[in-house]
Structures are given as structure tokens and as C-alpha cells.
Amino acid sequence: MTDLLSLLATLRRPRLLMQTARVGLHDYRREAHLQRVLKGTAPAQHGAALAKLIDVESRLNDKRRKGDANYSTLHHVDVMIALLAEADALQKRRAALNDTPEYPANEVSAYIKASGSDAFLSAT
């Protein structure tokens, strides 16, 4: 199975979408946010939530790129906030379990600028 964090490293999203999602990260509350975004019960594991969020975000991005009239920027930002927060939580959990961080101690949002572009998780 492909590592979810590695999969995120290949995604590219508009700068404004990512900047807006990073602003919303400080208000993220897992239980309430995931229930709303995933339209149901929040998965207990960060990896399971991240897998679902990647699927939802992929469908939203397809709608965005096609100019679909049903595309909701607000919903896309909401999903991106959850995706960034869950990726950060998964990364921190892995680092804690290994006791040797794979990544610097900063949040996932710090990796977004690592490649020189403001693309989505470009250096995770």
C-alpha cells in the first residue's frame, strides 16, 4: 500500500486554497470537523480518516478543474483543513512511535513551502 503521506507529496493545489486551509487549521476540532466533512462518524485512526479525506478531496478537485457548477470552494477548503490536520497528526504519531522523527518537528504546513512553491504538501 502506498504511504498516504508520500501520496500527498505528489498533489498540487492552488496557492489560495492552501493558504486559506492553513489559516483554518488553528480552529480545527477533529470530532466536529470530520463528522461534517465526511458526513458521518469520524474514523478513530488518523490514517483511515486521511484515506477518506484524500478520496473526497480528489473528487472535489476534479469538479474544480472541470468547472462543475456543483463545486463548492467552501467545502473544498473545509476538506483541505481536515486533510492538513490529519496528515500532521499522523506524522506526529509516527514520529512518536519511532521515537526518531522522520520529519522536522514542525507541522505539515511547514513542508508546503519546501520546494519553493506554495503547492500542497510538496515536501512531505
Side-chain angles (χ1 to χ4, degrees):
M1 181 172 119
T2 303
D3 179 37
L4 294 174
L5 295 175
S6 297
L7 176 64
L8 293 177
T10 64
L11 298 179
R12 301 289 182 258
R13 297 299 180 259
R15 175 181 279 185
L16 185 58
L17 177 65
M18 294 310 304
Q19 287 174 338
T20 307
R22 282 193 302 267
V23 168
L25 273 174
H26 74 281
D27 288 331
Y28 181 75
R29 301 293 175 266
R30 188 175 200 274
E31 293 76 22
H33 205 106
L34 276 180
Q35 280 183 325
R36 184 178 67 246
V37 169
L38 297 177
K39 298 176 177 127
T41 305
Q45 301 292 323
H46 295 293
L50 194 54
K52 287 183 179 187
L53 287 166
I54 288 170
D55 183 52
V56 170
E57 194 280 332
S58 177
R59 284 185 271 132
L60 282 169
N61 196 55
D62 287 343
K63 284 183 177 184
R64 178 188 66 82
R65 292 177 58 95
K66 291 177 183 175
D68 190 320
N70 292 324
Y71 171 72
S72 167
T73 306
L74 180 60
H75 185 56
H76 203 166
V77 169
D78 236 9
V79 170
M80 292 306 298
I81 291 168
L83 207 147
L84 287 173
E86 290 300 313
D88 185 49
L90 179 62
Q91 176 181 301
K92 286 178 179 176
R93 174 131 171 88
R94 284 184 179 179
L97 290 174
N98 293 335
D99 200 33
T100 54
E102 274 182 59
Y103 308 99
N106 300 353
E107 294 181 8
V108 169
S109 58
Y111 305 114
I112 294 170
K113 295 183 182 179
S115 71
S117 69
D118 215 4
F120 176 66
L121 294 176
S122 60
T124 7

